[in-house]
Amino acid sequence: MVSWSGVSSSTGNGASLTISAPGEYTISATASDGRGGSATAWATFYGIAVSVDVAPSQVVPGGTATVAATVSGLPPGINRPISFQAREVLYSGGHQHIGRPLGNITPSSGTINSSFTATYGATTISGSIVIEAYTPTDVGDIVAETVIDILVDNLFPLSSGVGYALVGSTAEHPANHYGTAGFVAALQNVGTDFASAYPSIQLRYNDMSLVWGGLFDCGSSCNGTWWNTPHSEHRNGTNMDLSFDCLENGSRRRLRESERDQLMEILAQNHVYIGFTHSDHWHLVY
């Protein structure tokens, strides 16, 4: 004798069973001599759907957001496994290189009948991250995805101007001169004021912040590793490295002491200050 039992009070006898709801079903078989056994099977309907959302959809580097997954098509009391995973949106946030850390989703898995929430913790690296929610079925994974942007808002590009040249652009970070509106204006004024005193000289403006701010990583060219420091600041659009070298009539030379002294005064007049002095540049703070 063969008998079935399962969700929604579905029972029956025979080798097959017509069902009306997805869920777990048990088949029991008993021979004429009394010997028997049982096995379970999961029946999945194609009507199951998964969706996922993240709020807020934009966070600052190091911020957090709530990830919410929902499943429709399951009857009450029937749970399915749900898992989250993240992947990078290539070349986002100002980084033209791949392999960025993705952040953490906690918890990364659980069971769901209608809804399930988790917390996404962003890294200090700006860019876009895809968050996927998926549940396995006997016909393959059902997957949904959403995107969260990690960025420092309201950063603006410093364009070419009077009295300075933009330097330091690389293939990995082609746009390296982004700052707050106030800092951008101050640096333009510094260039104009310095050119009034030294019209044949251009200052060399090196790294500021990236397009979306966040960690400004640096590879072997500055004794660093990708997705890491040594740029400990340069994250919020209020820092810049000002080279001690300048361009005079197109030729590069070191700024003289008198030129540096006057430059310090011009910086202070524009509320730009020297945070650190390195062997070849000032690290400026606005």
Side-chain angles (χ1 to χ4, degrees):
M1 181 181 68
V2 176
S3 64
W4 292 84
S5 62
V7 299
S8 302
S9 302
S10 296
T11 60
N13 299 316
S16 63
L17 177 71
T18 299
I19 63 175
S20 60
E24 188 176 87
Y25 291 82
T26 300
I27 180 173
S28 302
T30 305
S32 58
D33 61 2
R35 291 179 301 168
S38 64
T40 59
W42 178 267
T44 301
F45 285 0
Y46 290 95
I48 294 177
V50 178
S51 63
V52 63
D53 191 24
V54 60
S57 60
Q58 174 182 314
V59 296
V60 298
T64 61
T66 299
V67 181
T70 59
V71 169
S72 60
L74 287 175
I78 299 301
N79 295 322
R80 294 295 292 147
I82 188 80
S83 297
F84 297 109
Q85 63 182 14
R87 73 174 191 272
E88 65 177 316
V89 175
L90 298 178
Y91 312 125
S92 59
H95 297 279
Q96 295 296 310
H97 56 117
I98 62 176
R100 76 181 67 227
L102 300 175
N104 299 298
I105 304 174
T106 307
S108 60
S109 62
T111 58
I112 187 171
N113 173 265
S114 60
S115 62
F116 186 87
T117 59
T119 299
Y120 174 72
T123 71
T124 58
I125 300 165
S126 291
S128 297
I129 298 293
V130 176
I131 297 178
E132 295 180 344
Y134 62 96
T135 184
T137 74
D138 54 0
V139 292
D141 290 347
I142 299 176
V143 182
E145 62 182 42
T146 188
V147 175
I148 185 169
D149 294 327
I150 306 164
L151 74 154
V152 177
D153 212 355
N154 295 318
L155 297 185
F156 303 91
L158 173 64
S159 303
S160 299
V162 176
Y164 62 87
L166 303 178
V167 301
S169 174
T170 65
E172 293 82 11
H173 303 125
N176 61 320
H177 292 93
Y178 274 72
T180 63
F183 191 34
V184 166
L187 292 174
Q188 292 170 329
N189 292 336
V190 168
T192 299
D193 294 347
F194 191 79
S196 296
Y198 302 98
S200 64
I201 295 178
Q202 280 186 303
L203 301 171
R204 299 176 74 249
Y205 286 180
N206 205 332
D207 292 341
M208 292 173 60
S209 291
L210 297 177
V211 178
W212 281 5
L215 176 68
F216 193 148
D217 56 338
C218 187
S220 58
S221 62
C222 57
N223 299 317
T225 57
W226 296 124
W227 313 116
N228 209 332
T229 53
H231 273 325
S232 58
E233 295 190 344
H234 294 268
R235 303 183 184 207
N236 300 306
T238 56
N239 303 110
M240 188 189 75
D241 289 340
L242 177 56
S243 174
F244 290 156
D245 287 351
C246 65
L247 297 174
E248 185 169 26
N249 298 319
S251 297
R252 182 171 170 173
R253 69 166 174 83
R254 186 61 58 108
L255 286 166
R256 300 183 179 96
E257 184 175 354
S258 59
E259 296 165 344
R260 286 172 61 173
D261 288 344
Q262 187 155 0
L263 178 55
M264 290 175 66
E265 294 181 7
I266 292 172
L267 289 169
Q269 290 166 4
N270 287 280
H271 308 290
V272 180
Y273 304 99
I274 299 169
F276 304 100
T277 299
H278 298 273
S279 61
D280 59 353
H281 70 276
W282 282 324
H283 173 80
L284 302 182
V285 179
Y286 177 70

